Amino acid sequence: MIKTLHGRLTAIVVALFALSSVLALLLTSSTTRAYAEEERQRLNASLAADLASYLKQEKLIPVTNANMEEGMEEIKRLMTVNPSIDVYLLDGKGRIVSSSTALDDLDREAVALEPIDRYLQPSPRLPLKGDDPRGGDPQVFSASRFRGGIVYVVLGRTEGTLVDALAGSYALRAAAAMFGGVALFSIFSGGYIFWALTLRMRKLVAKVDGLSTELAGTGTGEAPHGCDEIDGLDHAFDSMAMRLRSLVEALQQADTERRDLVANVTHDLRTPIAGLRGYLETLLMRGEALDPAERKDHLETATRQIDRLSGLIDGLLELARLDSARLELHPEPFVAAELAQDVLQEFRLRAKEKGVELRLKTDDGDTMIEADIGLIQRALANLVENALRHTPSGGWIEMAATREPGVVRLSVGDSGKGIAPEDLEQVFERGVRIEDAKGGGAGLGLAIVRRIVELHGAEIRVQSEVGVGSRFCLFFPVRA
């Protein structure tokens, strides 16, 4: 099947030229045959009259029983001069009385008089065809009336197909060759012109596909089978429009998330700032009246508020850095189980102070992955810190690094409060806080974890049950 537009246009032109050439040859053959018949009838217009005059002179007409046989022999003798004609003597009603052909060989016993009457009128419109007593299609003839009858001469037969006509006519062969040459020239020149005309369309398709690639990072995909340039452009445009719509929706979603994040962060920033201001104003106004223990308590509280502000700002900066298009990953191979042990070691002192048990679970499988070790460490630290914040004293936090078919799984589980099922879908959204499960915080930690996982082409899942605990699982493809 022809896929390109210029190929299809060329095929249409070829078909049209082939059809028009055949029609032209048929028309030429038909008109040539009609012209030949017209000229033959015109040139032999007096033939029947001359035969009638000769037969009358020889007293062979009118036909009688006495001269019938002699007349037939004379007609056969005359036919030796022009054997392509057939001569018939008709009575006044068109019945065949005598013939140059044996009467038993004829298919007709009579000839229609209407064409003869039209032929004998002054200035008849030629060619005129009458019945052929030997059967077949009507043929041109010459006719002349005499007293009591008609001399009717069939002027040869025009038969055969177009192929026969081409074989027997140099003019038709020359016309066919001319049509063929014109058709070939038109095919090649038309094909080149169509190719040149559709070149700009092909360039436009390439530009649209290139723009879609820039927008989506991938091309528009392969066009459906049998598509030409117009179908390809339509496919590329639809793909680009779909991608633009998804980008607009993503931008709108990002703008909504940004607004929500700003509102939540503004609230979270205002709280420590208000507390910090209150304690500092108290120190300024009543600093001399406070004993050293109270001043120390106020300063420690202010320091905690500063730390909280610093954590919020660091989270915002970290999230902005991860969202930046200029961020470059530095992947390197490392053993996930060893990294998990290092992360847990950072939190052992805090966990001991809170009365939370830290556990590490590994297996004998190969947990080698290739990723940015700094970002993965940050993600695991966020998960452990989140679990430590919401796990009560006497509880436990477990980090696991195990090998599964095709992936390495890193997970952080706890025996905390858990997350309600209706809140699981939005737990990774920026600025979203599940108060029953998480308490304070700006809701940036899990958003940072999800972004780090996405940057590595990995997958994150969460399992949780209220009152039992939660488990966050990260799945990294096995290093080839």
mmCIF file with all atom_site columns, all heavy atoms in Angstrom, residues 239-259:
data_model
loop_
_atom_site.group_PDB
_atom_site.id
_atom_site.type_symbol
_atom_site.label_atom_id
_atom_site.label_alt_id
_atom_site.label_comp_id
_atom_site.label_asym_id
_atom_site.label_entity_id
_atom_site.label_seq_id
_atom_site.pdbx_PDB_ins_code
_atom_site.Cartn_x
_atom_site.Cartn_y
_atom_site.Cartn_z
_atom_site.occupancy
_atom_site.B_iso_or_equiv
_atom_site.pdbx_formal_charge
_atom_site.auth_seq_id
_atom_site.auth_comp_id
_atom_site.auth_asym_id
_atom_site.auth_atom_id
_atom_site.pdbx_PDB_model_num
ATOM 1   N N   . SER A 1 239 ? -1.250 14.533 18.770 1.00 0.00 ? 239 SER A N   1
ATOM 2   C CA  . SER A 1 239 ? -0.350 14.155 19.862 1.00 0.00 ? 239 SER A CA  1
ATOM 3   C C   . SER A 1 239 ? 0.167  15.385 20.588 1.00 0.00 ? 239 SER A C   1
ATOM 4   O O   . SER A 1 239 ? 0.231  15.418 21.820 1.00 0.00 ? 239 SER A O   1
ATOM 5   C CB  . SER A 1 239 ? 0.823  13.331 19.312 1.00 0.00 ? 239 SER A CB  1
ATOM 6   O OG  . SER A 1 239 ? 0.363  12.137 18.714 1.00 0.00 ? 239 SER A OG  1
ATOM 7   N N   . MET A 1 240 ? 0.532  16.416 19.796 1.00 0.00 ? 240 MET A N   1
ATOM 8   C CA  . MET A 1 240 ? 1.039  17.633 20.413 1.00 0.00 ? 240 MET A CA  1
ATOM 9   C C   . MET A 1 240 ? -0.060 18.333 21.209 1.00 0.00 ? 240 MET A C   1
ATOM 10  O O   . MET A 1 240 ? 0.181  18.833 22.320 1.00 0.00 ? 240 MET A O   1
ATOM 11  C CB  . MET A 1 240 ? 1.597  18.578 19.347 1.00 0.00 ? 240 MET A CB  1
ATOM 12  C CG  . MET A 1 240 ? 2.267  19.824 19.930 1.00 0.00 ? 240 MET A CG  1
ATOM 13  S SD  . MET A 1 240 ? 2.927  20.915 18.668 1.00 0.00 ? 240 MET A SD  1
ATOM 14  C CE  . MET A 1 240 ? 1.410  21.480 17.892 1.00 0.00 ? 240 MET A CE  1
ATOM 15  N N   . ALA A 1 241 ? -1.278 18.376 20.640 1.00 0.00 ? 241 ALA A N   1
ATOM 16  C CA  . ALA A 1 241 ? -2.382 19.006 21.365 1.00 0.00 ? 241 ALA A CA  1
ATOM 17  C C   . ALA A 1 241 ? -2.677 18.271 22.667 1.00 0.00 ? 241 ALA A C   1
ATOM 18  O O   . ALA A 1 241 ? -2.932 18.890 23.707 1.00 0.00 ? 241 ALA A O   1
ATOM 19  C CB  . ALA A 1 241 ? -3.632 19.040 20.468 1.00 0.00 ? 241 ALA A CB  1
ATOM 20  N N   . MET A 1 242 ? -2.634 16.928 22.609 1.00 0.00 ? 242 MET A N   1
ATOM 21  C CA  . MET A 1 242 ? -2.858 16.142 23.829 1.00 0.00 ? 242 MET A CA  1
ATOM 22  C C   . MET A 1 242 ? -1.780 16.446 24.867 1.00 0.00 ? 242 MET A C   1
ATOM 23  O O   . MET A 1 242 ? -2.081 16.597 26.058 1.00 0.00 ? 242 MET A O   1
ATOM 24  C CB  . MET A 1 242 ? -2.868 14.657 23.473 1.00 0.00 ? 242 MET A CB  1
ATOM 25  C CG  . MET A 1 242 ? -3.192 13.737 24.651 1.00 0.00 ? 242 MET A CG  1
ATOM 26  S SD  . MET A 1 242 ? -3.133 11.991 24.152 1.00 0.00 ? 242 MET A SD  1
ATOM 27  C CE  . MET A 1 242 ? -4.357 11.994 22.821 1.00 0.00 ? 242 MET A CE  1
ATOM 28  N N   . ARG A 1 243 ? -0.529 16.533 24.388 1.00 0.00 ? 243 ARG A N   1
ATOM 29  C CA  . ARG A 1 243 ? 0.564  16.824 25.310 1.00 0.00 ? 243 ARG A CA  1
ATOM 30  C C   . ARG A 1 243 ? 0.431  18.231 25.891 1.00 0.00 ? 243 ARG A C   1
ATOM 31  O O   . ARG A 1 243 ? 0.670  18.449 27.085 1.00 0.00 ? 243 ARG A O   1
ATOM 32  C CB  . ARG A 1 243 ? 1.903  16.681 24.582 1.00 0.00 ? 243 ARG A CB  1
ATOM 33  C CG  . ARG A 1 243 ? 3.119  16.952 25.478 1.00 0.00 ? 243 ARG A CG  1
ATOM 34  C CD  . ARG A 1 243 ? 3.128  16.058 26.696 1.00 0.00 ? 243 ARG A CD  1
ATOM 35  N NE  . ARG A 1 243 ? 4.167  16.414 27.623 1.00 0.00 ? 243 ARG A NE  1
ATOM 36  C CZ  . ARG A 1 243 ? 4.260  15.979 28.867 1.00 0.00 ? 243 ARG A CZ  1
ATOM 37  N NH1 . ARG A 1 243 ? 3.336  15.151 29.327 1.00 0.00 ? 243 ARG A NH1 1
ATOM 38  N NH2 . ARG A 1 243 ? 5.242  16.350 29.652 1.00 0.00 ? 243 ARG A NH2 1
ATOM 39  N N   . LEU A 1 244 ? 0.026  19.193 25.039 1.00 0.00 ? 244 LEU A N   1
ATOM 40  C CA  . LEU A 1 244 ? -0.159 20.560 25.535 1.00 0.00 ? 244 LEU A CA  1
ATOM 41  C C   . LEU A 1 244 ? -1.267 20.623 26.579 1.00 0.00 ? 244 LEU A C   1
ATOM 42  O O   . LEU A 1 244 ? -1.143 21.325 27.589 1.00 0.00 ? 244 LEU A O   1
ATOM 43  C CB  . LEU A 1 244 ? -0.473 21.495 24.361 1.00 0.00 ? 244 LEU A CB  1
ATOM 44  C CG  . LEU A 1 244 ? 0.701  21.842 23.441 1.00 0.00 ? 244 LEU A CG  1
ATOM 45  C CD1 . LEU A 1 244 ? 0.217  22.663 22.257 1.00 0.00 ? 244 LEU A CD1 1
ATOM 46  C CD2 . LEU A 1 244 ? 1.773  22.610 24.199 1.00 0.00 ? 244 LEU A CD2 1
ATOM 47  N N   . ARG A 1 245 ? -2.358 19.879 26.316 1.00 0.00 ? 245 ARG A N   1
ATOM 48  C CA  . ARG A 1 245 ? -3.441 19.859 27.302 1.00 0.00 ? 245 ARG A CA  1
ATOM 49  C C   . ARG A 1 245 ? -2.963 19.265 28.624 1.00 0.00 ? 245 ARG A C   1
ATOM 50  O O   . ARG A 1 245 ? -3.299 19.771 29.708 1.00 0.00 ? 245 ARG A O   1
ATOM 51  C CB  . ARG A 1 245 ? -4.624 19.049 26.759 1.00 0.00 ? 245 ARG A CB  1
ATOM 52  C CG  . ARG A 1 245 ? -5.449 19.791 25.730 1.00 0.00 ? 245 ARG A CG  1
ATOM 53  C CD  . ARG A 1 245 ? -6.774 19.085 25.472 1.00 0.00 ? 245 ARG A CD  1
ATOM 54  N NE  . ARG A 1 245 ? -6.575 17.788 24.851 1.00 0.00 ? 245 ARG A NE  1
ATOM 55  C CZ  . ARG A 1 245 ? -6.562 17.593 23.549 1.00 0.00 ? 245 ARG A CZ  1
ATOM 56  N NH1 . ARG A 1 245 ? -6.734 18.604 22.726 1.00 0.00 ? 245 ARG A NH1 1
ATOM 57  N NH2 . ARG A 1 245 ? -6.382 16.374 23.043 1.00 0.00 ? 245 ARG A NH2 1
ATOM 58  N N   . SER A 1 246 ? -2.167 18.169 28.520 1.00 0.00 ? 246 SER A N   1
ATOM 59  C CA  . SER A 1 246 ? -1.665 17.567 29.763 1.00 0.00 ? 246 SER A CA  1
ATOM 60  C C   . SER A 1 246 ? -0.705 18.506 30.476 1.00 0.00 ? 246 SER A C   1
ATOM 61  O O   . SER A 1 246 ? -0.693 18.574 31.712 1.00 0.00 ? 246 SER A O   1
ATOM 62  C CB  . SER A 1 246 ? -0.977 16.238 29.450 1.00 0.00 ? 246 SER A CB  1
ATOM 63  O OG  . SER A 1 246 ? 0.168  16.432 28.647 1.00 0.00 ? 246 SER A OG  1
ATOM 64  N N   . LEU A 1 247 ? 0.087  19.275 29.690 1.00 0.00 ? 247 LEU A N   1
ATOM 65  C CA  . LEU A 1 247 ? 1.001  20.236 30.315 1.00 0.00 ? 247 LEU A CA  1
ATOM 66  C C   . LEU A 1 247 ? 0.235  21.354 31.002 1.00 0.00 ? 247 LEU A C   1
ATOM 67  O O   . LEU A 1 247 ? 0.595  21.793 32.104 1.00 0.00 ? 247 LEU A O   1
ATOM 68  C CB  . LEU A 1 247 ? 1.951  20.815 29.260 1.00 0.00 ? 247 LEU A CB  1
ATOM 69  C CG  . LEU A 1 247 ? 3.062  19.883 28.745 1.00 0.00 ? 247 LEU A CG  1
ATOM 70  C CD1 . LEU A 1 247 ? 3.846  20.564 27.644 1.00 0.00 ? 247 LEU A CD1 1
ATOM 71  C CD2 . LEU A 1 247 ? 3.989  19.490 29.888 1.00 0.00 ? 247 LEU A CD2 1
ATOM 72  N N   . VAL A 1 248 ? -0.833 21.831 30.321 1.00 0.00 ? 248 VAL A N   1
ATOM 73  C CA  . VAL A 1 248 ? -1.649 22.891 30.934 1.00 0.00 ? 248 VAL A CA  1
ATOM 74  C C   . VAL A 1 248 ? -2.279 22.378 32.230 1.00 0.00 ? 248 VAL A C   1
ATOM 75  O O   . VAL A 1 248 ? -2.295 23.078 33.250 1.00 0.00 ? 248 VAL A O   1
ATOM 76  C CB  . VAL A 1 248 ? -2.725 23.377 29.942 1.00 0.00 ? 248 VAL A CB  1
ATOM 77  C CG1 . VAL A 1 248 ? -3.732 24.282 30.645 1.00 0.00 ? 248 VAL A CG1 1
ATOM 78  C CG2 . VAL A 1 248 ? -2.082 24.121 28.782 1.00 0.00 ? 248 VAL A CG2 1
ATOM 79  N N   . GLU A 1 249 ? -2.810 21.147 32.160 1.00 0.00 ? 249 GLU A N   1
ATOM 80  C CA  . GLU A 1 249 ? -3.402 20.571 33.371 1.00 0.00 ? 249 GLU A CA  1
ATOM 81  C C   . GLU A 1 249 ? -2.357 20.409 34.467 1.00 0.00 ? 249 GLU A C   1
ATOM 82  O O   . GLU A 1 249 ? -2.633 20.666 35.649 1.00 0.00 ? 249 GLU A O   1
ATOM 83  C CB  . GLU A 1 249 ? -4.042 19.221 33.038 1.00 0.00 ? 249 GLU A CB  1
ATOM 84  C CG  . GLU A 1 249 ? -5.257 19.331 32.126 1.00 0.00 ? 249 GLU A CG  1
ATOM 85  C CD  . GLU A 1 249 ? -5.772 17.961 31.695 1.00 0.00 ? 249 GLU A CD  1
ATOM 86  O OE1 . GLU A 1 249 ? -5.129 16.952 32.076 1.00 0.00 ? 249 GLU A OE1 1
ATOM 87  O OE2 . GLU A 1 249 ? -6.796 17.902 30.982 1.00 0.00 ? 249 GLU A OE2 1
ATOM 88  N N   . ALA A 1 250 ? -1.136 19.982 34.064 1.00 0.00 ? 250 ALA A N   1
ATOM 89  C CA  . ALA A 1 250 ? -0.069 19.828 35.058 1.00 0.00 ? 250 ALA A CA  1
ATOM 90  C C   . ALA A 1 250 ? 0.315  21.173 35.662 1.00 0.00 ? 250 ALA A C   1
ATOM 91  O O   . ALA A 1 250 ? 0.560  21.279 36.874 1.00 0.00 ? 250 ALA A O   1
ATOM 92  C CB  . ALA A 1 250 ? 1.153  19.166 34.418 1.00 0.00 ? 250 ALA A CB  1
ATOM 93  N N   . LEU A 1 251 ? 0.352  22.213 34.806 1.00 0.00 ? 251 LEU A N   1
ATOM 94  C CA  . LEU A 1 251 ? 0.681  23.549 35.313 1.00 0.00 ? 251 LEU A CA  1
ATOM 95  C C   . LEU A 1 251 ? -0.407 24.047 36.261 1.00 0.00 ? 251 LEU A C   1
ATOM 96  O O   . LEU A 1 251 ? -0.097 24.663 37.297 1.00 0.00 ? 251 LEU A O   1
ATOM 97  C CB  . LEU A 1 251 ? 0.855  24.517 34.136 1.00 0.00 ? 251 LEU A CB  1
ATOM 98  C CG  . LEU A 1 251 ? 2.128  24.356 33.300 1.00 0.00 ? 251 LEU A CG  1
ATOM 99  C CD1 . LEU A 1 251 ? 2.099  25.280 32.093 1.00 0.00 ? 251 LEU A CD1 1
ATOM 100 C CD2 . LEU A 1 251 ? 3.363  24.642 34.156 1.00 0.00 ? 251 LEU A CD2 1
ATOM 101 N N   . GLN A 1 252 ? -1.652 23.803 35.877 1.00 0.00 ? 252 GLN A N   1
ATOM 102 C CA  . GLN A 1 252 ? -2.740 24.210 36.763 1.00 0.00 ? 252 GLN A CA  1
ATOM 103 C C   . GLN A 1 252 ? -2.673 23.460 38.091 1.00 0.00 ? 252 GLN A C   1
ATOM 104 O O   . GLN A 1 252 ? -2.881 24.058 39.151 1.00 0.00 ? 252 GLN A O   1
ATOM 105 C CB  . GLN A 1 252 ? -4.086 23.958 36.071 1.00 0.00 ? 252 GLN A CB  1
ATOM 106 C CG  . GLN A 1 252 ? -4.331 24.865 34.871 1.00 0.00 ? 252 GLN A CG  1
ATOM 107 C CD  . GLN A 1 252 ? -5.597 24.502 34.121 1.00 0.00 ? 252 GLN A CD  1
ATOM 108 O OE1 . GLN A 1 252 ? -6.139 23.408 34.280 1.00 0.00 ? 252 GLN A OE1 1
ATOM 109 N NE2 . GLN A 1 252 ? -6.097 25.418 33.300 1.00 0.00 ? 252 GLN A NE2 1
ATOM 110 N N   . GLN A 1 253 ? -2.376 22.139 38.009 1.00 0.00 ? 253 GLN A N   1
ATOM 111 C CA  . GLN A 1 253 ? -2.251 21.359 39.228 1.00 0.00 ? 253 GLN A CA  1
ATOM 112 C C   . GLN A 1 253 ? -1.076 21.854 40.065 1.00 0.00 ? 253 GLN A C   1
ATOM 113 O O   . GLN A 1 253 ? -1.176 21.980 41.295 1.00 0.00 ? 253 GLN A O   1
ATOM 114 C CB  . GLN A 1 253 ? -2.067 19.880 38.874 1.00 0.00 ? 253 GLN A CB  1
ATOM 115 C CG  . GLN A 1 253 ? -1.889 18.961 40.084 1.00 0.00 ? 253 GLN A CG  1
ATOM 116 C CD  . GLN A 1 253 ? -3.139 18.888 40.950 1.00 0.00 ? 253 GLN A CD  1
ATOM 117 O OE1 . GLN A 1 253 ? -4.242 19.142 40.476 1.00 0.00 ? 253 GLN A OE1 1
ATOM 118 N NE2 . GLN A 1 253 ? -2.954 18.566 42.222 1.00 0.00 ? 253 GLN A NE2 1
ATOM 119 N N   . ALA A 1 254 ? 0.045  22.158 39.376 1.00 0.00 ? 254 ALA A N   1
ATOM 120 C CA  . ALA A 1 254 ? 1.213  22.659 40.100 1.00 0.00 ? 254 ALA A CA  1
ATOM 121 C C   . ALA A 1 254 ? 0.931  24.009 40.737 1.00 0.00 ? 254 ALA A C   1
ATOM 122 O O   . ALA A 1 254 ? 1.380  24.291 41.862 1.00 0.00 ? 254 ALA A O   1
ATOM 123 C CB  . ALA A 1 254 ? 2.406  22.767 39.144 1.00 0.00 ? 254 ALA A CB  1
ATOM 124 N N   . ASP A 1 255 ? 0.173  24.844 40.023 1.00 0.00 ? 255 ASP A N   1
ATOM 125 C CA  . ASP A 1 255 ? -0.162 26.159 40.595 1.00 0.00 ? 255 ASP A CA  1
ATOM 126 C C   . ASP A 1 255 ? -1.051 25.999 41.827 1.00 0.00 ? 255 ASP A C   1
ATOM 127 O O   . ASP A 1 255 ? -0.869 26.703 42.827 1.00 0.00 ? 255 ASP A O   1
ATOM 128 C CB  . ASP A 1 255 ? -0.869 27.003 39.535 1.00 0.00 ? 255 ASP A CB  1
ATOM 129 C CG  . ASP A 1 255 ? -1.173 28.412 40.020 1.00 0.00 ? 255 ASP A CG  1
ATOM 130 O OD1 . ASP A 1 255 ? -0.220 29.170 40.261 1.00 0.00 ? 255 ASP A OD1 1
ATOM 131 O OD2 . ASP A 1 255 ? -2.371 28.731 40.182 1.00 0.00 ? 255 ASP A OD2 1
ATOM 132 N N   . THR A 1 256 ? -2.014 25.050 41.732 1.00 0.00 ? 256 THR A N   1
ATOM 133 C CA  . THR A 1 256 ? -2.866 24.791 42.898 1.00 0.00 ? 256 THR A CA  1
ATOM 134 C C   . THR A 1 256 ? -2.042 24.282 44.077 1.00 0.00 ? 256 THR A C   1
ATOM 135 O O   . THR A 1 256 ? -2.218 24.731 45.222 1.00 0.00 ? 256 THR A O   1
ATOM 136 C CB  . THR A 1 256 ? -3.955 23.765 42.536 1.00 0.00 ? 256 THR A CB  1
ATOM 137 O OG1 . THR A 1 256 ? -4.738 24.272 41.446 1.00 0.00 ? 256 THR A OG1 1
ATOM 138 C CG2 . THR A 1 256 ? -4.871 23.502 43.731 1.00 0.00 ? 256 THR A CG2 1
ATOM 139 N N   . GLU A 1 257 ? -1.123 23.346 43.778 1.00 0.00 ? 257 GLU A N   1
ATOM 140 C CA  . GLU A 1 257 ? -0.269 22.831 44.848 1.00 0.00 ? 257 GLU A CA  1
ATOM 141 C C   . GLU A 1 257 ? 0.613  23.934 45.419 1.00 0.00 ? 257 GLU A C   1
ATOM 142 O O   . GLU A 1 257 ? 0.866  23.979 46.632 1.00 0.00 ? 257 GLU A O   1
ATOM 143 C CB  . GLU A 1 257 ? 0.589  21.686 44.304 1.00 0.00 ? 257 GLU A CB  1
ATOM 144 C CG  . GLU A 1 257 ? -0.207 20.439 43.938 1.00 0.00 ? 257 GLU A CG  1
ATOM 145 C CD  . GLU A 1 257 ? 0.677  19.348 43.378 1.00 0.00 ? 257 GLU A CD  1
ATOM 146 O OE1 . GLU A 1 257 ? 1.902  19.597 43.249 1.00 0.00 ? 257 GLU A OE1 1
ATOM 147 O OE2 . GLU A 1 257 ? 0.158  18.251 43.079 1.00 0.00 ? 257 GLU A OE2 1
ATOM 148 N N   . ARG A 1 258 ? 1.106  24.806 44.530 1.00 0.00 ? 258 ARG A N   1
ATOM 149 C CA  . ARG A 1 258 ? 1.953  25.900 45.012 1.00 0.00 ? 258 ARG A CA  1
ATOM 150 C C   . ARG A 1 258 ? 1.195  26.823 45.947 1.00 0.00 ? 258 ARG A C   1
ATOM 151 O O   . ARG A 1 258 ? 1.695  27.233 47.005 1.00 0.00 ? 258 ARG A O   1
ATOM 152 C CB  . ARG A 1 258 ? 2.506  26.699 43.820 1.00 0.00 ? 258 ARG A CB  1
ATOM 153 C CG  . ARG A 1 258 ? 3.395  27.862 44.201 1.00 0.00 ? 258 ARG A CG  1
ATOM 154 C CD  . ARG A 1 258 ? 3.768  28.683 42.990 1.00 0.00 ? 258 ARG A CD  1
ATOM 155 N NE  . ARG A 1 258 ? 2.576  29.246 42.348 1.00 0.00 ? 258 ARG A NE  1
ATOM 156 C CZ  . ARG A 1 258 ? 1.988  30.360 42.772 1.00 0.00 ? 258 ARG A CZ  1
ATOM 157 N NH1 . ARG A 1 258 ? 2.428  31.006 43.847 1.00 0.00 ? 258 ARG A NH1 1
ATOM 158 N NH2 . ARG A 1 258 ? 0.925  30.827 42.142 1.00 0.00 ? 258 ARG A NH2 1
ATOM 159 N N   . ARG A 1 259 ? -0.043 27.136 45.559 1.00 0.00 ? 259 ARG A N   1
ATOM 160 C CA  . ARG A 1 259 ? -0.856 28.013 46.416 1.00 0.00 ? 259 ARG A CA  1
ATOM 161 C C   . ARG A 1 259 ? -1.119 27.355 47.775 1.00 0.00 ? 259 ARG A C   1
ATOM 162 O O   . ARG A 1 259 ? -1.013 28.003 48.820 1.00 0.00 ? 259 ARG A O   1
ATOM 163 C CB  . ARG A 1 259 ? -2.177 28.337 45.722 1.00 0.00 ? 259 ARG A CB  1
ATOM 164 C CG  . ARG A 1 259 ? -2.021 29.201 44.467 1.00 0.00 ? 259 ARG A CG  1
ATOM 165 C CD  . ARG A 1 259 ? -3.369 29.383 43.777 1.00 0.00 ? 259 ARG A CD  1
ATOM 166 N NE  . ARG A 1 259 ? -3.243 30.132 42.540 1.00 0.00 ? 259 ARG A NE  1
ATOM 167 C CZ  . ARG A 1 259 ? -3.284 31.462 42.467 1.00 0.00 ? 259 ARG A CZ  1
ATOM 168 N NH1 . ARG A 1 259 ? -3.469 32.170 43.580 1.00 0.00 ? 259 ARG A NH1 1
ATOM 169 N NH2 . ARG A 1 259 ? -3.153 32.075 41.311 1.00 0.00 ? 259 ARG A NH2 1
#
